[in-house]
Every structure is written in C-alpha cells, then in structure tokens.
Amino acid sequence: MPGIRFRAALALFFVATGAAMAQQYDPGASDTEIRLGQTMPFSGPVSVAGAVGYASLAYFDAVNKAGGINGRRIRLLSLDDGYSPPKTVEATRRLVEDDNVLMIYGSVGTPTNAAVEKYLNLKKVPQLFITTGGSRFRDPKSSPWTMAFLPGYVAEGRAMARYVLETVAAPKIAVLYQNDDLGKDFRTGFRSGLGDRADSLIVSEQTFEVADPTVDSQVLAAKASGANVFYFAGTQKAGAEQIKSRHNLGWTPLHLVCSIASGVEGVLRPAGLENSEGLISTAYAKDPFDPTWADDADVKTFLGWVKENLAQGNPRDTGVVGGYIVSFLAAYVLEKAGSTLTRENILNIATHLDHLPAPMLLPGITVTTTPTDYGVITRFQIQRFESGRWVPIGKAISGE
C-alpha cells in the first residue's frame, strides 16, 4: 500500500509539473483572460491625445470579438490621468497593485511616463510601446522594463535642424519649446543638428508651460528677434496657438513644428488650415485620410476597422493611428508569448523584434528592437503642409 500511494503521488506530481511547464502565468494572466493597463490624458490640456486610448480600447474590443488571443479574452484598463504626473502615479499603482495587470502599454506622455518609470522597473512590470519619444526611455541598462514607441525626439530635432541648414542660406532661428522632458529633448536634438553654429544661429530661445493659457507673448518676442526660421517643440494645444499667433502677427518665417504638434485634426484645423500652409514637420505613419493612400491595403483595413469598432474619439485624430499601431504591437507580443504569460517572457519577445512590418507605418519603416537597443521606430519622413495635406519631402531618413 505505501508503494501504491507513492506511485500515485509521483504520477500527480508529473501531471502538475507538466501543466506548470505548459502554462506559466504572472499576475494578470490566466487560462481565460489577460489584463493590460495604460494611462491616458482623456481630460486636461493634452486631451486630444486621448485618441490613443480610445483606439486602444477599440482595438482589443475587436480582438475579443474575434476570439481573443490564443483563446484568452483581453481586458484593457485605460485610466485617465489628465496628463498630470501625480495622477499617473496614482492610476499606475492602482493598475499594478489592485488590478494586477500583466503589463502597461501605450501610455501617453513624457512627464507622465517618467513619473512611473522607476516604480514599474522596481516592480519588473513591462512598460512597453509607450506613446513618447523621450530619450530617457531608450536606456535598457537603467530601465530595462521600459520601451518608448515613437521615433526619438532628439533624433527628430536633429533632422529638422539639418533641414534648416540645407534649405536656408542665412538662418536666424527662434526656438519655442515646452518646459519639460519632451520639449527639452527636441531642443537638445535641434541644437545638436546645428552643431558648433547653434549659439550663433539661434537668436531667440523661449519656453512655455503645458498649462499656460497662451503663448502669444513668446511668439511676439520670437518675431521681434528678427528670426527667419521658427521652430516649435511642444504638445497639441500650444501647437495650434502658436500657429494662429504667428499668422496673426503677419510673420512668415520658415515654420517648423515637431511631430507631436502636426496632427491635422487636433492642431492644424483648430489653428486654421490656411494659417498652416507651408509648415514643416515629420511623420512615421500613413495619414489614412490623405488621397495618396486611397488604394493602400493597410489604409483600407484601418478605415474598415474604424468604421466597425471606434466608438469614441475623432477617427481623423493622428492618435487613433498611433493607438492602433501600439495595440497591434502589444497583441503581437502576447500572441507570440503563447501560454508563457510571464512578464519576463513578454519583455524578452518585445526586445527581439526583427524588421516587423507593423500596419500603417510609412514605406521603408519597420519595427526592430534588441536587448541593447530599444529604438522601436528609428526612421521618419520630413514633410510640408500644402493645400490641406502633408506632402513628403525626399525619402524616409534617420536622425541618429
């Protein structure tokens, strides 16, 4: 009898061990469900960027309707932080400690993501494909659990400066940037692109706070400096304001705006499309409402998805495309993880993407990551706003 009991116990041990090897779960994962989290500015001064969250929710609603991922339903918890770092901290702690999400993905904002970066890395919770291009989120040695999605702000700023040097014979440059990590990264890259001539070429350099009611005084000072080039680096609300202000002053410099402030619906239309004529910026994704892509298979699929699934938000906001792409990447990683739904495995897959052709990216741009290089998207397209649409200038480039 003791031998029979031993053999039975041994058999149960091997059954249990086999099941454990086949299915490994961290908090947020089970046989039937995967819980994901993100924070979004659904309210506050950058609420237009909440479109990323609306698209994310719609994406996984569609995934669930189609049967989920590997038979598991995806439960996405998208919380409003109002683009306020203290609220981001509160919401993120709730997601990790109360809701037990498997990972955070797609969260919007440089200062907001920075506020929880250390916490998530200490907890070893993946903070993946976050909607920022801040340089601090490209440091796998210091923050191995954090990965930004957008092209680097420093690289973009550098490319814009090089464009100025190539197109303006005697540039006198005014710079207006948001006084946080986002604006400072763009500024750093722009000055780097000007090289040793930065101090002599920049005749005006000013800042603003994201909650400032207007930037009229800064734009007026920029014009008064005698600049013939004006570079703006900030978020959407101030982006629209500075375009209107510059137009109202009758000032006609070469006007460059960072990619964050280039959305037609969220920035240029509120500023006035006629006032935005001639702007220079960058892009990494297709504009689904640009006739250029009318016959593009990616765009047709996207527009069909929008029509069927997007219940909230303006489908023309650039954030919808961004939310769609980061959600595709999150879903791709989860699908590849199979039944090994551990945070470590999620991170391992996310850091070994090899020229992945994510939907809606411009031609020549793919997603590649390695454990030592977290640059998800490293190429972008310089473009000019003409007759109500963005027109590409040259080929996709890297600002590295």
Side-chain angles (χ1 to χ4, degrees), residues 8 29 47 63 74-75 88 93 101 110 125 130 132 155 206 249 251 259 264 271 282 309 321 325 351 377 381 387:
S47 59
V63 166
I74 308 302
R75 183 183 175 201
T88 309
R93 285 186 178 275
V101 297
T110 300
V125 176
I130 52 178
T132 170
Q206 299 174 84
L249 290 171
W251 184 30
S259 56
V264 175
T282 69
N309 299 286
V321 174
I325 299 173
T351 55
I377 297 177
Q381 175 74 59
S387 302

Side-chain angles (χ1 to χ4, degrees), residues 135 152-166 173 175 177 183-202 205 231 380 398-400:
S135 58
Y153 296 157
V154 172
E156 180 185 325
R158 187 179 296 123
M160 295 286 265
R162 290 173 180 165
Y163 177 82
V164 170
L165 295 179
E166 291 169 1
I173 305 167
V175 177
Y177 66 95
K184 291 174 183 177
D185 266 2
F186 279 120
R187 171 188 179 269
T188 295
F190 191 78
R191 292 184 68 93
S192 171
L194 296 176
D196 295 340
R197 302 172 63 193
D199 287 336
S200 62
L201 295 180
I202 295 176
E205 194 171 61
Y231 176 54
F380 43 81
S398 169
E400 303 297 340

Side-chain angles (χ1 to χ4, degrees), residues 59 129 149 284-286 293 296-299 301-302 321-333 353-369 376-378:
Y59 190 95
F129 312 126
F149 163 67
Y284 65 90
K286 299 167 185 172
W293 307 109
D296 183 82
D298 263 3
V299 169
T301 298
F302 172 82
V321 174
Y324 182 82
I325 299 173
V326 294
S327 296
F328 164 85
L329 293 174
Y332 179 87
V333 169
L353 302 176
D354 186 14
H355 294 92
L356 178 65
M360 295 301 290
L361 295 180
L362 287 169
I365 300 177
T366 57
V367 173
T368 297
T369 58
V376 174
I377 297 177
T378 58

